[in-house]
Amino acid sequence: MPSQPAEDPRSFDSFAAVYDRFAALTGDPLRAYLRTALPDHGSRALDAGCGTGRHTVLLADRFDEVLAVDLSKPMLDLARQHRARPNVTYDRCDLGELYPGRDGRFDLVLSVHTLHHVPQPELHQALRGLRDLVAPGGFAMLIDIVDSRGRVTRWQHRAYAARRLASDLLRGGPGRALEIYGACTHPAWLAHVATDRFLSPGAFRAQYAEVFPGAAFTRIDRALALTWQAPPTAASRKSQRPA
Ligand SMILES: C[S@@+](CC[C@H](N)C(=O)[O-])C[C@H]1O[C@@H](n2cnc3c(N)ncnc32)[C@H](O)[C@@H]1O
């Protein structure tokens, strides 16, 4: 069940538009990675923790049918408003509630910058749940921020924002640089960042590889991307639908 009240700093409800704009301004490296790494075509894809749908639309261009789920109603409202597609269903639910008997299996299970919000004791089960949703021969692509410090305080994040402002001013115009700085230091965003708990790169590889043996890992800026292919069966190219 959706279980984050809007006033809970972990929730994205109170800064959905700020996040969406920040992601639009800074998300190019990740979008470029996904454009080259995503399968060209498939039947069904899942975006687990889709936020405002910025990657869901990439899936919509390649898959016949896309299910995009998120806990936050304001994030989903923006996704439906700006990134509606005829082959996408946006659904408000916890990614841990998805299961093959109801939702079927997917040729691609994508999750970006979401799984660090799942508390550590439950992460293993969440990863297993996502793995079970991958159709035989299908792919999981799980991308998340890693940080050896484990957590980043508000002041560390402010310092990051200031360093980033300096380099953004040098690289581009002041308008974009100041907008990114404003988003990074937005009070609700700072409160949220202080609740984030990240895996170190080593712990990410170890925990994810335990559930996805043989997975490949790619570094993308502050994130690690896991790519894993489920063992194929005779019917591996056919996606499985709910019974
Ligand atoms: C940092 S945003 C990333 C959104 C999107 N994937 C992107 O890359 O722009 C994390 C999202 O995960 C959602 N989220 C956190 N925990 C979740 C859960 N257990 N189930 C579904 N969504 C979750 C939040 O509401 C938020 O929209």
Side-chain angles (χ1 to χ4, degrees):
M1 271 281 110
S3 59
Q4 291 179 329
E7 64 275 14
D8 182 337
R10 292 173 304 166
S11 165
F12 281 69
D13 290 5
S14 63
F15 57 96
V18 173
Y19 178 83
D20 188 47
R21 185 67 187 137
F22 173 76
L25 288 165
T26 64
D28 280 348
L30 188 46
R31 272 189 294 273
Y33 171 79
L34 286 171
R35 283 202 178 96
T36 58
L38 285 171
D40 286 338
H41 183 71
S43 174
R44 304 186 73 225
L46 169 69
D47 189 357
C50 62
T52 58
R54 66 185 173 131
H55 303 126
T56 311
V57 289
L58 297 180
L59 304 185
D61 290 341
R62 295 165 188 245
F63 290 83
D64 300 337
E65 193 184 305
V66 181
L67 175 63
V69 303
D70 201 279
L71 277 183
S72 167
K73 180 176 180 306
M75 296 287 268
L76 287 168
D77 287 346
L78 284 177
R80 291 187 183 109
Q81 208 178 326
H82 298 299
R83 301 187 184 98
R85 297 288 186 277
N87 57 340
V88 173
T89 302
Y90 288 109
D91 197 7
R92 188 176 179 210
C93 88
D94 189 313
L95 62 86
E97 291 172 19
L98 300 166
Y99 68 100
R102 186 192 66 183
D103 304 292
R105 289 196 166 87
F106 298 85
D107 302 307
L108 175 73
V109 171
L110 175 74
S111 182
V112 179
H113 294 176
T114 293
L115 287 162
H116 69 271
H117 296 110
V118 177
Q120 188 50 233
E122 286 127 53
L123 178 63
H124 186 78
Q125 189 50 43
L127 292 174
R128 287 176 61 117
L130 291 177
R131 184 194 63 195
D132 291 347
L133 290 164
V134 182
F139 293 89
M141 291 182 65
L142 307 179
I143 303 171
D144 209 349
I145 298 164
V146 287
D147 195 311
S148 300
R149 294 170 294 186
R151 62 187 292 258
V152 179
T153 65
R154 287 176 203 223
W155 287 107
Q156 284 170 328
H157 195 72
R158 279 184 191 281
Y160 160 78
R163 283 196 304 277
R164 181 159 190 148
L165 174 64
S167 66
D168 285 340
L169 280 170
L170 287 175
R171 272 190 309 195
R176 177 178 175 277
L178 287 170
E179 220 186 330
I180 293 172
Y181 182 78
C184 278
T185 55
H186 186 282
W189 180 241
L190 285 174
H192 172 82
V193 167
T195 69
D196 279 336
R197 296 292 178 271
F198 303 110
L199 292 174
S200 68
F204 182 100
R205 285 171 191 268
Q207 288 203 23
Y208 280 56
E210 200 181 327
V211 179
F212 297 93
F217 293 91
T218 307
R219 188 83 197 212
I220 312 160
D221 290 343
R222 297 174 61 211
L224 265 174
L226 164 143
T227 306
W228 176 82
Q229 184 171 23
T233 66
S236 66
R237 284 185 181 75
K238 301 253 183 252
S239 62
Q240 299 180 354
R241 293 176 170 277

